[in-house]
Amino acid sequence: MKKRILSGMRPTGKLHLGHLVGALDNWVKLQEDYDCFFMVADWHALMSEYENPQSLKENILDNVIDWLSCGISPERSTIFIQSQVKGHLELYMALSLMTPLGWLERCPTYKEQLREVTNRDLSTYAFLGYPVLQAADILLYKAQTVPVGEDQLPHLELTREITRRFNGLYKDEVFPEPQALLTRSARLLGLDGRKMSKSYNNYILLSEKPEDIRKKVQNMFTDPKRIKLSDPGHPDQCNLNNYYSVFAPSEKKDLDEACRNSRIGCTECKKRLAEILIKFLEPIQKERSGYENNKKAISDILEEGRRRALAVADKTISEVKDLINLAHEL
Ligand code: TRP
Ligand code: SF4
């Protein structure tokens, strides 16, 4: 029996290279060894986007198309939408009953977001419960393993605490304590050297057009000490170098030397990188246009995903209702 994985992404916008290198690539590999459930966390997206939900549905479909185009396989994995499986909300409630307020108020990601996000109002009841819904996502499928980036570790820790509490109150080992599988990907920074993020507008989309990739790469920040071509470059202080190491590792050594010895200028170096990225994204974009012309295939995949997710979720919910004596069957 393969171990089960559950992971999710919030459909808050189109996916970019940061999503691919940080998460998707890893998901694709995990499909070989795990029984994978990959979820579009649309309720979680609404927790921050509730004031402007206009593009939610479009983002959901667009993200699923990117997942498939990058190699998430609907035969091997269960791909589904969180809001289509109502068990998430039922378990969210059941877990909310026993989650102390202090655990949530103390959660570092919560405090950080309240402090740093200024363009939306996150001081809501639901947003405080974000990690409880995430715990429900994981426990609903009794996933043993959860691949996450470092930023999600506090949520995983909370999930484990909630799990112990539930098991302690009602039944030992009804839920396995999930383990985080930390994604140690070569971190890809944004075009300006900060974290790649929609809100910084420093990304390259998986669906970015070649001419836009060329423009964006030409505007990337480079080694600040290199002003003229004749100034020796410091590749280790240049963000482009980070991109070469992820997308063209075999070219990196020569490039480093050429940069240090002023044999290559930044404009040329950027031109080359743009072409590398365009070539890298070409097969993904080809897959994408196939799916864009075949929306029926996407809805079939999501329907099958919903069916498979429901089969597991309904069983867990019956078990939970029995444990807390809700009269679901009289
Ligand atoms: N909070 C996660 C993120 O922002 C998304 C998510 C929702 C998730 N539910 C999950 C991740 C369950 C792993 C497991 O990236
Ligand atoms: Fe960076 Fe390339 Fe310029 Fe060197 S040549 S500083 S690696 S952009």
Side-chain angles (χ1 to χ4, degrees):
M1 273 285 271
K2 285 183 176 172
K3 279 196 180 171
R4 180 164 295 155
I5 270 183
L6 178 120
S7 200
M9 267 189 218
R10 290 177 309 131
T12 53
K14 286 172 164 284
L15 300 189
H16 52 58
L17 287 176
H19 294 112
L20 178 63
V21 174
L24 264 181
D25 254 356
N26 191 41
W27 285 12
V28 170
K29 286 196 213 101
L30 291 168
Q31 296 181 111
E32 290 172 26
D33 301 319
Y34 293 89
D35 174 22
C36 293
F37 282 63
F38 295 126
M39 175 190 79
V40 182
D42 52 353
W43 279 121
H44 276 112
L46 278 171
M47 287 182 185
S48 59
E49 310 301 312
Y50 64 94
E51 289 167 295
N52 291 298
Q54 296 83 357
S55 48
L56 185 61
K57 200 185 277 185
E58 188 185 314
N59 290 337
I60 292 171
L61 292 177
D62 194 84
N63 288 6
V64 170
I65 290 178
D66 274 335
W67 292 4
L68 297 165
S69 305
C70 289
I72 301 294
S73 151
E75 284 91 40
R76 292 166 126 181
S77 301
T78 302
I79 303 167
F80 70 101
I81 299 174
Q82 183 184 40
S83 65
Q84 293 191 347
V85 180
K86 66 181 185 326
H88 290 263
L89 297 186
E90 291 184 284
L91 191 54
Y92 174 43
M93 183 65 209
L95 300 178
S96 296
L97 300 171
M98 67 203 61
T99 303
L101 212 40
W103 291 3
L104 299 174
E105 288 165 340
R106 248 181 273 124
C107 181
T109 48
Y110 177 68
K111 291 196 291 190
E112 187 187 304
Q113 302 256 45
L114 277 195
R115 227 182 314 118
E116 285 178 11
V117 177
T118 49
N119 58 348
R120 359 161 127 40
D121 182 7
L122 296 181
S123 57
T124 58
Y125 167 59
F127 192 67
L128 179 67
Y130 186 110
V132 186
L133 180 58
Q134 187 161 346
D137 297 338
I138 297 165
L139 298 187
L140 192 57
Y141 303 94
K142 303 196 177 185
Q144 292 102 329
T145 309
V146 184
V148 284
E150 211 163 343
D151 61 315
Q152 293 292 312
L153 285 178
H155 293 168
L156 243 287
E157 208 35 63
L158 257 172
T159 300
R160 291 159 61 84
E161 283 178 287
I162 293 172
T163 308
R164 289 194 286 270
R165 186 149 186 144
F166 188 98
N167 288 347
L169 279 170
Y170 303 118
K171 188 181 169 201
D172 280 346
E173 287 168 22
V174 60
F175 289 123
E177 230 177 89
Q179 306 278 335
L181 187 64
L182 193 61
T183 315
R184 276 185 306 105
S185 55
R187 249 169 64 90
L188 190 70
L189 294 174
L191 300 172
D192 58 359
R194 294 187 286 175
K195 181 182 152 84
M196 191 180 283
S197 152
K198 185 177 70 148
S199 36
Y200 296 152
N201 193 12
N202 62 354
Y203 51 78
I204 290 179
L205 298 176
L206 298 183
S207 55
E208 201 83 52
K209 291 200 192 76
E211 61 266 33
D212 294 332
I213 295 179
R214 290 190 188 101
K215 269 186 233 146
K216 288 189 168 186
V217 173
Q218 268 317 318
N219 287 327
M220 277 177 77
F221 292 17
T222 60
D223 171 10
K225 294 208 194 77
R226 192 171 191 211
I227 295 149
K228 303 190 292 318
L229 175 59
S230 57
D231 297 336
H234 306 82
D236 38 314
Q237 288 164 39
C238 175
N239 194 16
L240 262 87
N241 197 257
N242 172 222
Y243 278 69
Y244 273 92
S245 61
V246 175
F247 296 102
S250 61
E251 290 181 36
K252 194 175 119 58
K253 205 164 147 255
D254 286 349
L255 179 88
D256 281 4
E257 265 200 39
C259 170
R260 283 201 187 92
N261 303 324
S262 306
R263 275 190 287 105
I264 184 170
C266 296
T267 308
E268 175 58 25
C269 183
K270 287 173 168 176
K271 269 196 193 134
R272 274 203 226 167
L273 176 63
E275 297 315 308
I276 289 168
L277 294 178
I278 290 167
K279 214 156 155 208
F280 176 86
L281 288 174
E282 199 177 80
I284 296 175
Q285 297 189 351
K286 204 165 151 232
E287 285 287 310
R288 252 193 88 86
S289 57
Y291 283 115
E292 275 169 350
N293 295 321
N294 189 1
K295 292 278 163 65
K296 171 80 169 61
I298 306 291
S299 59
D300 287 350
I301 287 167
L302 288 172
E303 188 47 42
E304 170 66 13
R306 184 228 299 254
R307 210 184 47 75
R308 282 196 243 164
L310 268 176
V312 182
D314 284 349
K315 235 174 112 206
T316 306
I317 292 299
S318 300
E319 204 179 346
V320 166
K321 285 186 170 172
D322 279 340
L323 287 171
I324 56 182
N325 282 313
L326 287 171
H328 70 109
E329 253 172 20
L330 285 177

